[in-house]
Amino acid sequence: MRRFFFATLLAVSTLVASAQSWTADNGNGTFTNPLFYDEFSDPDILRVGDDYYLAGTTMHAVPGLVILHSRDLVNWENISYCFDRFDFADDAFSLRNQKETYGEGVWAPCIRHANGQFYLYTNINGKGLQCYTSKDIHGPWKHQNMLGNIYDLSVLFDDDGKVYAIHGYGEVKCTELEPDMSGPKEGTSRVIIPEGNGVGEGHHMYKINGMYYLISTDYKPNGRTLCSRSKSIWGPYETIVITADETFGYHQAPLTQIPRGENPRIGKDGTRFGIPSVDKDATACTNIHQGGIVQAQDGSWWALLMMDFHSIGRTTTLAPITWKDGWPMLGLEGNLGRAPRTWVKPGVQGEQVAPHAPYDRNDDFNYKTNAFAPHTAQPTPMLKPVWQWNHNPDDKMWSLKNGRLRLQTMPADQLMWARNSLTQRVIGPSSITTVELYTQGMKDGDVAGLGNINIPCSWIGVVKQGKNLILRCFEQATNDTIDVPLAVEDLKKTPIWLRMCGEYDEDKAEYAYSLDGEHFLSMGHEMKLSYQLITFQGSRHALFAFNKGGKNGGYAEFDNFTVVEPKADRSQNIPYGKTFRIINLATGKPMHATKHGPLYDTHPGDNSPQTHFRLIDRGQGKVSVQCEDGRYVYVSGFGLPGDVRFTDRLDQAEVFLWQDYLDQEFMLMSFDKHLYVGKSPTTGSPYSTDFKGADPARRNGAVFRWEECQ
């Protein structure tokens, strides 16, 4: 009960299942990144009329090739998948015969609209280039295997009717495609950007005002987004960096370390994967990088890029674009190459969109009809779109029965080999996930519960040994198993409640259980979580059931899957109406409104009126800062130390856009200058407005914490 999340864990049963879920929309005309606080990697964006469509990587999970829809680039909903099962007979796609496709399958898709229909392209490892087409974005989708060694591609439908694929890493190639998408045109592949130009992969090609623009990403030594442009599809191209170092104040994610010797990939019970500490000053690929650009209905331009977001995986961000000398630079005039975490939403034609989350994560499994099915025109009883199977399921071995999900057990050595594991992505920054497990149908050797599909994996569940039931918590990273005997009589008619509590910004989680649904006990260790380049996914909740005895066993049933997000409601994060001190995270010292001139800092214990501030609400998340003595903060000059001063006049006060970093941490961005207030932690200089943003560790002097004065 001493651990990091236990107080919340004990209290969470008072929260309702319909509690707010993360949405980027702040409800005041602004948005805050990330767009989704769960995994959505390799985003490719398309606008058709007033509608936006976003396609993303789904790797080995099915249904696959996800498509989201939005009217304002901020609020999204899941409307389609291109397929519900991989239609390849290989055992690896179905976790059969000790074969798997972790980290493979569908990745880096490209979505386009031409000739009155939608096209989605993606590589599938070992199968070549795939194309899915439909006249209706909701499907059904026609699948064509185009073969060829073309991956991580972008596709351009040119004005002359020709179709080009741009692909490759470092050495970028252009290949013409057959118009019927039967495959690449033989003999058309040419190098358009030679090796040595700093261009990486993750290509997104556009033709804008007669000029060809290629957005790509390089990962060495860390993530950067580049733009190459030419008057011809075949080049020559000139290339510049359009964004670098924008991490929104997040350091690199911990990467799973594989044991020395033969690569065990997903490992087994007994394999210890390392999760080392990270350099919190380093970015790696935490900075925003790979993704596409789009012009909004109001004429503005935007980039949707991904970032490696700790154990959550890769998530998507939205950043404004400023055209500068014919280049689509990320960011705003005066601070190009960086992007605000909070900014003003794009303009929308017609009715405004109400803030909403893209998924309904909670599930009582009481289905009448589904929202959509990839290959069916008529609604059928089916799982919610948020769910994905870990590899192709065996449809004979699962069902929706009497308002519960029933999983029949099949042989598996451990969780990562368990077929018919139903998964959904974890959501941050923190969340508490609970499910009811009914064990009455379990047989000898059966194991069922709530797990974390990741490398290393972990789970909490029930093991049936003979006539006995054992509650078990397993953590692969440490090869640690904790058992608690259960009284069979207690579970003859009632479920056991299983829970995972995650602080995903901090890469840690723990399990808990309850026998009455109200009083929960922690079980196992506080686990370290990681991101890893084996499955190329972050943590995923899994409802699983398998048999350790090498045979088909009985079944387990699940009900009332709920996800509570304590930090999703950000309505009180800006301290309107409060008097507070502003503490610089880099120094631990409070701001001090000196009487003789500039804004400075003082010793940590100073609680004088000169350290007390309040906000003036200027609308749409914009604020002015007022000292308790009545003076207002204003900025004088061009961003040098000492330019943050005080005035008695509200009309001279600086207008800042509040940048919410959660947990009472924030930044102040000048709404006009697009630069941030900060103070060097080393030089001794007073505050200035010349900071471009946060560093990965949030200790460059531009990130603050507010604490209310008592």
Side-chain angles (χ1 to χ4, degrees):
M1 296 187 182
R2 297 190 300 267
R3 291 197 291 273
F4 75 101
F5 213 23
F6 207 72
T8 304
L9 184 152
L10 291 174
V12 74
S13 59
T14 63
L15 299 174
V16 295
S18 60
Q20 182 172 340
S21 184
W22 177 276
T23 172
D25 196 326
N26 294 316
N28 60 3
T30 68
F31 68 93
T32 294
N33 282 304
L35 279 183
F36 326 115
Y37 228 114
D38 62 333
E39 185 171 70
F40 195 96
S41 58
D42 302 321
D44 194 38
I45 180 70
L46 170 70
R47 177 181 151 219
V48 180
D50 291 335
D51 297 287
Y52 302 96
Y53 302 104
L54 189 66
T57 287
T58 49
M59 290 298 180
H60 51 273
V62 293
L65 260 185
V66 63
I67 303 169
L68 305 186
H69 167 259
S70 176
R71 298 277 293 180
D72 63 0
L73 284 175
V74 174
N75 294 282
W76 295 84
E77 59 180 339
N78 184 190
I79 60 166
S80 186
Y81 289 96
C82 285
F83 59 90
D84 53 6
R85 302 291 185 273
F86 287 104
D87 53 6
F88 303 107
D90 304 39
D91 286 345
F93 289 98
S94 300
L95 276 180
R96 289 194 298 255
N97 298 320
Q98 292 295 294
K99 295 182 179 179
E100 41 81 12
T101 57
Y102 284 113
E104 298 178 353
V106 167
W107 49 278
C110 171
I111 184 170
R112 293 292 181 263
H113 185 264
N115 308 315
Q117 67 179 352
F118 292 92
Y119 297 79
L120 261 87
Y121 302 86
T122 188
N123 176 77
I124 294 181
N125 295 66
K127 303 298 179 182
L129 178 61
Q130 313 296 311
C131 179
Y132 298 83
T133 56
S134 176
K135 292 186 180 299
D136 185 340
I137 192 68
H138 301 89
W141 294 84
K142 178 184 176 183
H143 177 204
Q144 290 177 268
N145 191 339
M146 299 177 66
L147 303 176
N149 187 28
I150 294 178
Y151 60 90
D152 226 21
L153 81 159
S154 182
V155 174
L156 178 74
F157 287 80
D158 213 341
D159 301 333
D160 60 3
K162 293 184 177 180
V163 187
Y164 299 101
I166 296 84
H167 55 103
Y169 182 91
E171 181 182 77
V172 181
K173 296 179 180 179
C174 179
T175 301
E176 189 176 347
L177 302 179
E178 296 286 0
D180 63 356
M181 300 304 146
S182 57
K185 273 192 175 182
E186 288 191 22
T188 62
S189 185
R190 289 167 50 184
V191 174
I192 59 173
I193 301 179
E195 181 75 49
N197 285 274
V199 176
E201 59 185 16
H203 303 300
H204 300 261
M205 177 66 86
Y206 307 93
K207 192 174 185 179
I208 304 170
N209 298 328
M211 183 76 74
Y212 295 87
Y213 289 89
L214 178 63
I215 310 296
S216 61
T217 293
D218 188 29
Y219 298 93
K220 298 178 180 179
N222 64 354
R224 299 178 313 288
T225 301
L226 304 102
C227 180
S228 306
R229 70 181 184 184
S230 173
K231 295 180 179 179
S232 168
I233 188 74
W234 304 108
Y237 286 84
E238 54 180 332
T239 300
I240 68 167
V241 176
I242 60 173
T243 183
D245 295 331
E246 186 54 75
T247 70
F248 299 120
Y250 289 88
H251 57 76
Q252 65 176 322
L255 286 175
T256 297
Q257 300 297 303
I258 299 172
R260 291 184 178 180
E262 184 179 351
N263 183 350
R265 281 182 62 82
I266 64 175
K268 56 186 178 180
D269 292 0
T271 301
R272 296 192 181 190
F273 292 95
I275 305 178
S277 299
V278 297
D279 180 358
K280 293 188 176 182
D281 294 306
T283 63
C285 291
T286 300
N287 49 342
I288 57 176
H289 51 290
Q290 183 172 324
I293 66 173
V294 68
Q295 187 176 26
Q297 301 140 321
D298 63 359
S300 59
W301 283 83
W302 298 82
L304 288 94
L305 306 182
M306 73 177 184
M307 59 189 295
D308 292 8
F309 214 61
H310 291 253
S311 55
I312 290 170
R314 289 172 163 169
T315 192
T316 297
T317 62
L318 178 65
I321 286 176
T322 299
W323 285 87
K324 188 75 172 179
D325 299 329
W327 294 100
M329 300 296 298
L330 260 73
L332 303 163
E333 191 68 54
N335 194 6
L336 299 179
R338 302 296 293 269
R341 182 172 186 181
T342 298
W343 186 238
V344 180
K345 292 172 55 178
V348 176
Q349 302 295 326
E351 185 178 353
Q352 296 297 306
V353 180
H356 63 269
Y359 303 100
D360 179 7
R361 303 176 186 281
N362 302 306
D363 205 337
D364 61 9
F365 300 108
N366 294 318
Y367 298 138
K368 294 182 179 178
T369 59
N370 67 306
F372 65 83
H375 291 313
T376 57
Q378 298 299 320
T380 56
M382 191 176 172
L383 294 163
K384 288 184 177 181
V386 70
W387 291 109
Q388 290 178 292
W389 296 100
N390 179 26
H391 293 67
N392 284 345
D394 183 338
D395 287 330
K396 296 178 181 179
M397 302 297 285
W398 73 276
S399 61
L400 298 169
K401 196 174 184 67
N402 299 323
R404 297 177 189 168
L405 169 70
R406 176 176 290 191
L407 299 179
Q408 295 177 237
T409 63
M410 292 178 281
D413 293 332
Q414 55 116 329
L415 172 60
M416 300 297 283
W417 288 108
R419 301 183 64 194
N420 282 14
S421 292
L422 189 62
T423 75
Q424 64 170 265
R425 299 166 298 279
V426 303
I427 185 165
S430 62
S431 56
I432 304 106
T433 299
T434 309
V435 69
E436 297 173 12
L437 170 64
Y438 289 83
T439 62
Q440 291 88 339
M442 294 176 65
K443 294 183 179 180
D444 182 40
D446 285 351
V447 184
L450 172 67
N452 176 25
I453 295 282
N454 202 343
I455 299 179
C457 67
S458 63
W459 54 268
I460 185 172
V462 173
V463 180
K464 185 75 177 287
Q465 291 184 352
K467 296 182 179 181
N468 298 319
L469 292 177
I470 298 172
L471 177 66
R472 176 168 295 170
C473 185
F474 172 74
E475 183 186 359
Q476 189 182 44
T478 56
N479 190 33
D480 187 43
T481 301
I482 297 176
D483 285 348
V484 174
L486 294 171
V488 177
E489 293 297 322
D490 291 342
L491 299 179
K492 274 191 173 181
K493 295 182 179 181
T494 61
I496 184 170
W497 285 260
L498 306 176
R499 178 170 285 178
M500 180 176 174
C501 303
E503 283 279 10
Y504 298 106
D505 277 3
E506 303 296 327
D507 300 309
K508 54 189 179 182
E510 65 178 326
Y511 289 114
Y513 72 97
S514 173
L515 296 177
D516 60 9
E518 295 184 6
H519 304 91
F520 282 81
L521 296 175
S522 178
M523 188 172 183
H525 302 286
E526 178 184 288
M527 299 175 295
K528 293 176 65 176
L529 303 177
S530 76
Y531 178 65
Q532 36 73 35
L533 302 180
I534 303 169
T535 71
F536 281 90
Q537 290 181 324
S539 296
R540 295 174 76 90
H541 296 306
L543 305 182
F544 68 88
F546 62 93
N547 187 278
K548 292 274 285 185
K551 60 184 179 182
N552 290 349
Y555 62 86
E557 291 186 325
F558 298 87
D559 202 358
N560 296 321
F561 181 94
T562 62
V563 181
V564 176
E565 304 171 44
K567 297 180 183 178
D569 183 358
R570 305 190 302 282
S571 61
Q572 304 301 311
N573 287 13
I574 304 179
Y576 295 123
K578 301 180 186 294
T579 301
F580 55 90
R581 296 199 309 164
I582 300 175
I583 311 299
N584 194 308
L585 293 188
T587 64
K589 297 179 179 180
M591 283 185 180
H592 186 268
T594 61
K595 294 183 178 180
H596 71 276
L599 180 65
Y600 206 65
D601 62 11
T602 184
H603 62 85
D606 190 346
N607 195 28
S608 67
Q610 257 55 53
T611 66
H612 294 181
F613 298 90
R614 49 182 165 257
L615 299 180
I616 307 299
D617 186 358
R618 310 301 289 265
Q620 286 193 308
K622 298 188 289 290
V623 301
S624 291
V625 181
Q626 184 182 33
C627 183
E628 193 172 76
D629 63 12
R631 294 179 297 158
Y632 304 96
V633 172
Y634 86 105
V635 177
S636 173
F638 300 97
L640 295 176
D643 69 357
V644 184
R645 302 176 187 172
F646 297 91
T647 177
D648 294 327
R649 294 172 49 186
L650 179 59
D651 63 336
Q652 289 183 339
E654 191 75 13
V655 176
F656 299 103
L657 185 62
W658 185 276
Q659 306 287 300
D660 181 20
Y661 275 66
L662 309 180
D663 299 314
Q664 298 185 203
E665 295 184 5
F666 68 100
M667 296 176 66
L668 292 172
M669 186 185 79
S670 168
F671 194 73
D672 294 325
K673 299 177 177 61
H674 305 142
L675 293 167
Y676 300 85
V677 171
K679 181 188 181 303
S680 168
T682 59
T683 65
S685 298
Y687 277 89
S688 61
T689 312
D690 63 343
F691 284 72
K692 290 183 173 294
D695 66 334
R698 304 187 188 182
R699 53 191 180 201
N700 66 333
V703 185
F704 313 118
R705 184 185 73 256
W706 64 267
E707 55 182 39
E708 189 172 2
C709 298
Q710 301 301 321

PDB file of all heavy atoms in Angstrom, residues 291-303:
ATOM      1  N   GLY A 291       5.288  11.788 -40.276  1.00  0.00           N
ATOM      2  CA  GLY A 291       3.867  12.042 -40.465  1.00  0.00           C
ATOM      3  C   GLY A 291       3.613  12.884 -41.694  1.00  0.00           C
ATOM      4  O   GLY A 291       4.520  13.160 -42.482  1.00  0.00           O
ATOM      5  N   GLY A 292       2.351  13.303 -41.881  1.00  0.00           N
ATOM      6  CA  GLY A 292       1.945  14.015 -43.082  1.00  0.00           C
ATOM      7  C   GLY A 292       1.480  15.422 -42.797  1.00  0.00           C
ATOM      8  O   GLY A 292       1.365  15.850 -41.649  1.00  0.00           O
ATOM      9  N   ILE A 293       1.190  16.170 -43.880  1.00  0.00           N
ATOM     10  CA  ILE A 293       0.700  17.540 -43.773  1.00  0.00           C
ATOM     11  C   ILE A 293      -0.605  17.655 -44.551  1.00  0.00           C
ATOM     12  O   ILE A 293      -0.895  16.855 -45.445  1.00  0.00           O
ATOM     13  CB  ILE A 293       1.730  18.570 -44.269  1.00  0.00           C
ATOM     14  CG1 ILE A 293       1.973  18.420 -45.784  1.00  0.00           C
ATOM     15  CG2 ILE A 293       3.041  18.425 -43.506  1.00  0.00           C
ATOM     16  CD1 ILE A 293       2.862  19.514 -46.364  1.00  0.00           C
ATOM     17  N   VAL A 294      -1.408  18.683 -44.209  1.00  0.00           N
ATOM     18  CA  VAL A 294      -2.701  18.860 -44.852  1.00  0.00           C
ATOM     19  C   VAL A 294      -3.095  20.329 -44.773  1.00  0.00           C
ATOM     20  O   VAL A 294      -2.741  21.030 -43.822  1.00  0.00           O
ATOM     21  CB  VAL A 294      -3.775  17.973 -44.178  1.00  0.00           C
ATOM     22  CG1 VAL A 294      -4.082  18.450 -42.770  1.00  0.00           C
ATOM     23  CG2 VAL A 294      -5.035  17.879 -45.016  1.00  0.00           C
ATOM     24  N   GLN A 295      -3.822  20.785 -45.790  1.00  0.00           N
ATOM     25  CA  GLN A 295      -4.381  22.133 -45.756  1.00  0.00           C
ATOM     26  C   GLN A 295      -5.804  22.062 -45.219  1.00  0.00           C
ATOM     27  O   GLN A 295      -6.627  21.269 -45.692  1.00  0.00           O
ATOM     28  CB  GLN A 295      -4.387  22.774 -47.142  1.00  0.00           C
ATOM     29  CG  GLN A 295      -4.810  24.233 -47.124  1.00  0.00           C
ATOM     30  CD  GLN A 295      -4.717  24.890 -48.487  1.00  0.00           C
ATOM     31  OE1 GLN A 295      -4.804  24.225 -49.524  1.00  0.00           O
ATOM     32  NE2 GLN A 295      -4.538  26.209 -48.509  1.00  0.00           N
ATOM     33  N   ALA A 296      -6.105  22.895 -44.230  1.00  0.00           N
ATOM     34  CA  ALA A 296      -7.414  22.893 -43.600  1.00  0.00           C
ATOM     35  C   ALA A 296      -8.429  23.666 -44.434  1.00  0.00           C
ATOM     36  O   ALA A 296      -8.089  24.348 -45.408  1.00  0.00           O
ATOM     37  CB  ALA A 296      -7.320  23.479 -42.192  1.00  0.00           C
ATOM     38  N   GLN A 297      -9.703  23.590 -44.020  1.00  0.00           N
ATOM     39  CA  GLN A 297     -10.775  24.258 -44.747  1.00  0.00           C
ATOM     40  C   GLN A 297     -10.591  25.766 -44.785  1.00  0.00           C
ATOM     41  O   GLN A 297     -11.027  26.425 -45.736  1.00  0.00           O
ATOM     42  CB  GLN A 297     -12.115  23.918 -44.082  1.00  0.00           C
ATOM     43  CG  GLN A 297     -12.408  22.427 -44.055  1.00  0.00           C
ATOM     44  CD  GLN A 297     -13.032  22.010 -42.732  1.00  0.00           C
ATOM     45  OE1 GLN A 297     -12.639  22.498 -41.674  1.00  0.00           O
ATOM     46  NE2 GLN A 297     -13.978  21.104 -42.793  1.00  0.00           N
ATOM     47  N   ASP A 298      -9.948  26.328 -43.743  1.00  0.00           N
ATOM     48  CA  ASP A 298      -9.760  27.771 -43.684  1.00  0.00           C
ATOM     49  C   ASP A 298      -8.497  28.243 -44.384  1.00  0.00           C
ATOM     50  O   ASP A 298      -8.141  29.416 -44.298  1.00  0.00           O
ATOM     51  CB  ASP A 298      -9.765  28.244 -42.229  1.00  0.00           C
ATOM     52  CG  ASP A 298      -8.616  27.661 -41.410  1.00  0.00           C
ATOM     53  OD1 ASP A 298      -7.822  26.866 -41.956  1.00  0.00           O
ATOM     54  OD2 ASP A 298      -8.505  27.999 -40.209  1.00  0.00           O
ATOM     55  N   GLY A 299      -7.787  27.326 -45.069  1.00  0.00           N
ATOM     56  CA  GLY A 299      -6.575  27.685 -45.797  1.00  0.00           C
ATOM     57  C   GLY A 299      -5.291  27.489 -45.017  1.00  0.00           C
ATOM     58  O   GLY A 299      -4.208  27.525 -45.602  1.00  0.00           O
ATOM     59  N   SER A 300      -5.385  27.281 -43.704  1.00  0.00           N
ATOM     60  CA  SER A 300      -4.178  27.060 -42.901  1.00  0.00           C
ATOM     61  C   SER A 300      -3.619  25.663 -43.162  1.00  0.00           C
ATOM     62  O   SER A 300      -4.326  24.769 -43.637  1.00  0.00           O
ATOM     63  CB  SER A 300      -4.493  27.232 -41.407  1.00  0.00           C
ATOM     64  OG  SER A 300      -5.500  26.313 -41.003  1.00  0.00           O
ATOM     65  N   TRP A 301      -2.346  25.470 -42.853  1.00  0.00           N
ATOM     66  CA  TRP A 301      -1.679  24.184 -43.052  1.00  0.00           C
ATOM     67  C   TRP A 301      -1.276  23.597 -41.709  1.00  0.00           C
ATOM     68  O   TRP A 301      -0.897  24.328 -40.779  1.00  0.00           O
ATOM     69  CB  TRP A 301      -0.444  24.350 -43.935  1.00  0.00           C
ATOM     70  CG  TRP A 301      -0.777  24.496 -45.398  1.00  0.00           C
ATOM     71  CD1 TRP A 301      -1.143  25.638 -46.046  1.00  0.00           C
ATOM     72  CD2 TRP A 301      -0.787  23.455 -46.372  1.00  0.00           C
ATOM     73  NE1 TRP A 301      -1.377  25.375 -47.366  1.00  0.00           N
ATOM     74  CE2 TRP A 301      -1.171  24.051 -47.603  1.00  0.00           C
ATOM     75  CE3 TRP A 301      -0.518  22.089 -46.334  1.00  0.00           C
ATOM     76  CZ2 TRP A 301      -1.271  23.316 -48.783  1.00  0.00           C
ATOM     77  CZ3 TRP A 301      -0.610  21.364 -47.505  1.00  0.00           C
ATOM     78  CH2 TRP A 301      -0.997  21.967 -48.709  1.00  0.00           C
ATOM     79  N   TRP A 302      -1.319  22.243 -41.651  1.00  0.00           N
ATOM     80  CA  TRP A 302      -1.068  21.547 -40.396  1.00  0.00           C
ATOM     81  C   TRP A 302      -0.276  20.280 -40.651  1.00  0.00           C
ATOM     82  O   TRP A 302      -0.388  19.655 -41.714  1.00  0.00           O
ATOM     83  CB  TRP A 302      -2.398  21.191 -39.717  1.00  0.00           C
ATOM     84  CG  TRP A 302      -3.190  22.405 -39.379  1.00  0.00           C
ATOM     85  CD1 TRP A 302      -3.999  23.120 -40.221  1.00  0.00           C
ATOM     86  CD2 TRP A 302      -3.220  23.089 -38.121  1.00  0.00           C
ATOM     87  NE1 TRP A 302      -4.545  24.194 -39.562  1.00  0.00           N
ATOM     88  CE2 TRP A 302      -4.085  24.199 -38.277  1.00  0.00           C
ATOM     89  CE3 TRP A 302      -2.616  22.861 -36.890  1.00  0.00           C
ATOM     90  CZ2 TRP A 302      -4.349  25.084 -37.228  1.00  0.00           C
ATOM     91  CZ3 TRP A 302      -2.882  23.729 -35.849  1.00  0.00           C
ATOM     92  CH2 TRP A 302      -3.733  24.833 -36.026  1.00  0.00           C
ATOM     93  N   ALA A 303       0.503  19.897 -39.651  1.00  0.00           N
ATOM     94  CA  ALA A 303       1.258  18.640 -39.694  1.00  0.00           C
ATOM     95  C   ALA A 303       0.754  17.721 -38.600  1.00  0.00           C
ATOM     96  O   ALA A 303       0.519  18.161 -37.469  1.00  0.00           O
ATOM     97  CB  ALA A 303       2.748  18.900 -39.500  1.00  0.00           C
TER      98      ALA A 303
END
